[in-house]
Amino acid sequence: MTAPSRGTVLTLDTLLGLVGGDFVDVVHAPAGLDIPVVAVLIHDTSTTAQANAGDLILAIGVAVDDPDVEPLMKLLGRDVTLAFKVRDDAERDRLRESAIACDATVLAISPDLSWDQLHVLARRSISSTTAGVADERGVPFGDLFALANAAAASLEGPVIIDDERMEVIAFSSLGDPIDEIRQQSILQRRPPKDFIAWCETTGVLPRVRQSLRPVKVVPPDGATRLVTAIRGGTDILGYIWVAETTRELDQQSEDLLAEIARVAALQLLRSRISEDLDRRLRSDLLRGALSGRGDPGTVASRLGIDGRPFRLVSFAHEVPDARRGEGHVALRPLEDLVALRVEASHRRGAVTSCNDRIYALFPALDDRPPGEVAALSREIIGQADRQLHIGLRAAVSSEVSDVALVSSARRDIDRLLNLPLLDEQRRVVCFDDSVADAILSELTELVVDRPRLLQGGVAGMVVSDRDRGTEYLPSLRAFFGAGGDLTAASRTLYVHRNTLKYRLTRIRDAFGVDVEVPAQRLVAELQVAVFTAHPELQAGLEATDLGTD
């Protein structure tokens, strides 16, 4: 097969970002996701025999169980991407086994995405890709440092490019003399605090944002500068600063800087699109991993956890709405907020939403303390409260070393979020600190799935409380909660100690639950926890189903 030119091509990861992880899943990608996609072909005998590296072949009408699948994969190899429709996880697993055995690059396509839609989208994406094309000045799109150097050479002064938050994203490096403001801006990736304060008190930045022309400023203890806003429509994308050195910044300099700002706007907009696609792809890969789908090697490499441990965090609404569930909370602003904090922590990671919850994957960093992820989760909850007026709670997984365990880690932290144990002081719970709660939650799931495990004396107490107005279940719950201390338990119930003692005797005699017998006490405590966490189970109990006399 002939290798395609690497100049101006669509890559597999960009295509996946455009299509979306709800419709396409990476089954196996032995060559990674940076391989090119230069043409789209529909599978038949003649086209497949002539396939070249970089082709995307749509296996239309080919079933996963077809005996010709593995020979086809072996013929195409890892440099050609092969796409199949899959109906369920069982088919996806069989497809993965074949792809791994044949060392082939394979995608699984959801039945919800038509072949025609994928074909049109891929062809349009290939034809519209212009990555690596230079502008009319020969400056590569997206290379802001090259643009800064070109601007510095034209204006004969050092240049700094800031984003909309006044954080340095590029600067010239032509050896021009620099003052303290420029030096500190480059070192700290942000202008000095006293310079920013001067800009605010003098109204420099509002004036720059309102002006369509560059503005000349003379900061204290610094060189004269020209600054202009980088605009994308009505949005401010950033700022370009040029300092005066040997050449005076005149009207011609202003005209040139205004033109450079227009070029910078195109590059920043293009960069934002690329970043959005990259974030979306990582989000889709994480969503697949949470469900146990996707090629582990691709997921690990793309999310920055290849050979590195990580923690998974789940964010949920603090007080779920019983009528509408948690989905009434707008997830997109929350997802954006969490994603920004993950990126600001200098991690690759990923953020996604799934089943009305936000999930964030944090690769471990050697220079960060163990509790740093929990602390960051608390900060995110505080920001959501202040900025979005949304109350959140969060659960942090233990440290995980294998990407194949992402779905297992998700189940662990989801169980913690489902427990009624988070309050105003404990809105973030860590698995490492809550192993007992996690085990109890998993046992609760097991019991709920097997209702016969709820039969016995505790179920009889529930029926009695429901139908006769007795208070056996809350009495037993208080007794267990107090560690078997009758005095402490009676205080929480606001009854006399002897009253509680009588109830426990009655529970033993009428329902056969003796809290002095270790095995009976263990089972009773688990059943009480299940009925407490799932009150809906109480309504379905019938006296004839209790397994008691």
Side-chain angles (χ1 to χ4, degrees):
M1 296 183 183
T2 304
S5 168
R6 302 288 298 194
T8 306
V9 296
L10 178 76
T11 58
L12 182 56
D13 62 345
T14 302
L15 178 63
L16 294 173
L18 290 168
V19 178
D22 293 332
F23 300 105
V24 62
D25 181 29
V26 182
V27 172
H28 188 54
L33 298 181
D34 290 329
I35 63 173
V37 179
V38 298
V40 186
L41 305 176
I42 295 175
H43 166 65
D44 62 35
T45 305
S46 59
T47 58
T48 303
Q50 300 173 10
N52 291 312
D55 288 343
L56 168 63
I57 296 183
L58 310 183
I60 299 176
V62 180
V64 171
D65 295 327
D66 193 302
D68 294 331
V69 166
E70 288 201 6
L72 177 62
M73 291 183 181
K74 291 178 181 177
L75 173 66
L76 297 176
R78 59 168 58 190
D79 294 326
V80 174
T81 303
L82 189 57
F84 293 88
K85 281 285 185 77
V86 296
R87 293 172 296 182
D88 51 36
D89 289 341
E91 281 196 348
R92 183 180 290 101
D93 291 341
R94 290 197 296 274
L95 190 63
R96 178 180 292 113
E97 290 176 4
S98 298
I100 293 173
C102 299
D103 196 37
T105 301
V106 177
L107 304 179
I109 310 300
S110 166
D112 296 329
L113 180 68
S114 71
W115 285 119
D116 182 62
Q117 288 173 315
L118 178 59
H119 186 260
V120 170
L121 179 58
R123 287 180 65 91
R124 288 180 179 175
S125 300
I126 291 168
S127 63
S128 64
T129 300
T130 56
V133 175
D135 66 12
E136 62 273 14
R137 290 180 174 77
V139 178
F141 274 117
D143 191 346
L144 289 173
F145 282 91
L147 178 63
N149 279 332
S154 301
L155 295 164
E156 299 182 29
V159 169
I160 283 183
I161 302 177
D162 294 335
D163 64 12
E164 73 278 12
R165 299 184 298 273
M166 288 286 289
E167 294 181 358
V168 176
I169 53 178
F171 51 88
S172 60
S173 55
L174 301 183
D176 294 309
I178 60 175
D179 58 13
E180 186 68 16
I181 295 174
R182 175 178 168 81
Q183 180 178 353
Q184 292 303 315
S185 297
I186 292 173
L187 291 176
Q188 300 174 12
R189 294 296 192 207
R190 188 173 179 80
K193 292 182 180 179
D194 54 352
F195 177 73
I196 293 178
W198 176 81
C199 290
E200 292 175 349
T201 56
T202 58
V204 166
L205 286 182
R207 188 152 51 98
V208 171
R209 286 192 286 264
Q210 294 168 10
S211 175
L212 298 178
R213 297 283 300 170
V215 174
K216 182 174 286 190
V217 299
V218 186
D221 304 322
T224 299
R225 282 167 163 77
L226 273 181
V227 55
T228 189
I230 304 172
R231 302 177 185 278
T234 57
D235 294 335
I236 303 297
L237 305 177
Y239 305 91
I240 300 183
W241 304 77
V242 55
E244 187 175 271
T245 54
T246 57
R247 172 187 166 183
E248 182 182 356
L249 296 173
D250 54 14
Q251 180 69 39
Q252 183 180 0
S253 302
E254 293 183 17
D255 294 339
L256 186 55
L257 186 59
E259 179 64 25
I260 291 170
R262 283 191 281 272
V263 176
L266 292 174
Q267 297 195 6
L268 283 175
L269 286 171
R270 185 179 183 83
S271 175
R272 284 191 174 189
I273 292 171
S274 298
E275 289 175 359
D276 287 345
L277 285 173
D278 181 63
R279 181 189 292 179
R280 177 176 171 181
L281 174 60
R282 285 184 281 124
S283 172
D284 291 340
L285 286 172
L286 177 57
R287 189 183 303 115
L290 291 171
S291 303
R293 297 185 289 108
D295 173 51
T298 301
V299 174
S301 175
R302 207 69 179 82
L303 301 188
I305 54 175
D306 196 3
R308 180 187 294 274
F310 61 89
R311 291 183 188 271
L312 190 69
V313 182
S314 177
F315 296 90
H317 193 235
E318 192 173 23
V319 184
D321 189 311
R323 295 166 297 173
R324 294 182 291 175
E326 295 174 347
H328 69 283
V329 178
L331 290 181
R332 184 55 189 268
L334 284 174
E335 188 172 343
D336 289 342
L337 172 63
V338 177
L340 285 173
R341 293 308 304 268
V342 171
E343 291 165 4
S345 67
H346 305 291
R347 291 176 164 88
R348 184 77 173 143
V351 176
T352 194
S353 57
C354 187
N355 294 338
D356 301 328
R357 288 180 174 175
I358 304 294
Y359 295 89
L361 185 146
F362 290 85
L365 297 179
D366 296 336
D367 59 343
R368 305 295 174 87
E372 187 249 354
V373 173
L376 183 57
S377 300
R378 293 187 190 94
E379 292 178 11
I380 291 172
I381 288 175
Q383 277 188 282
D385 195 16
R386 294 188 302 271
Q387 299 175 12
L388 303 177
H389 306 294
I390 295 175
L392 295 178
R393 63 196 196 282
V396 182
S397 76
S398 58
E399 193 167 85
V400 184
S401 57
D402 186 349
V403 70
L405 300 177
V406 169
S407 58
S408 176
R410 174 197 178 181
R411 289 192 294 271
D412 287 341
I413 57 179
D414 278 351
R415 290 189 188 103
L416 291 180
L417 284 182
N418 292 335
L419 289 174
L421 53 80
L422 299 184
D423 52 30
E424 194 66 31
Q425 286 73 40
R426 199 186 179 199
R427 295 169 72 180
V428 176
V429 60
C430 299
F431 183 88
D432 293 341
D433 302 327
S434 309
V435 175
D437 293 320
I439 292 175
L440 177 60
S441 180
E442 190 165 356
L443 288 173
T444 299
E445 287 183 10
L446 177 65
V447 173
V448 170
D449 289 340
R450 302 179 183 181
R452 65 181 182 80
L453 296 178
L454 289 174
Q455 294 179 354
V458 173
M461 291 162 40
V462 170
V463 171
S464 177
D465 288 352
R466 184 192 66 196
D467 298 344
R468 304 174 187 173
T470 53
E471 298 184 25
Y472 293 129
L473 186 66
S475 298
L476 205 54
R477 184 167 59 240
F479 177 75
F480 291 146
D485 187 327
L486 279 172
T487 302
S490 62
R491 287 173 182 165
T492 64
L493 294 169
Y494 299 101
V495 298
H496 194 275
R497 185 178 186 278
N498 290 338
T499 301
L500 178 58
K501 187 175 181 180
Y502 168 77
R503 289 179 184 175
L504 293 177
T505 301
R506 180 62 181 162
I507 287 171
R508 181 195 64 198
D509 296 341
F511 303 104
V513 179
D514 189 346
V515 295
E516 299 299 327
V517 178
Q520 292 190 31
R521 175 169 175 163
L522 177 63
V523 172
E525 194 159 357
L526 176 60
Q527 290 182 334
V528 167
V530 173
F531 281 121
T532 300
H534 298 274
E536 71 278 4
L537 296 175
Q538 302 179 23
L541 288 176
E542 298 292 340
T544 56
D545 298 330
L546 303 182
T548 59
D549 296 332

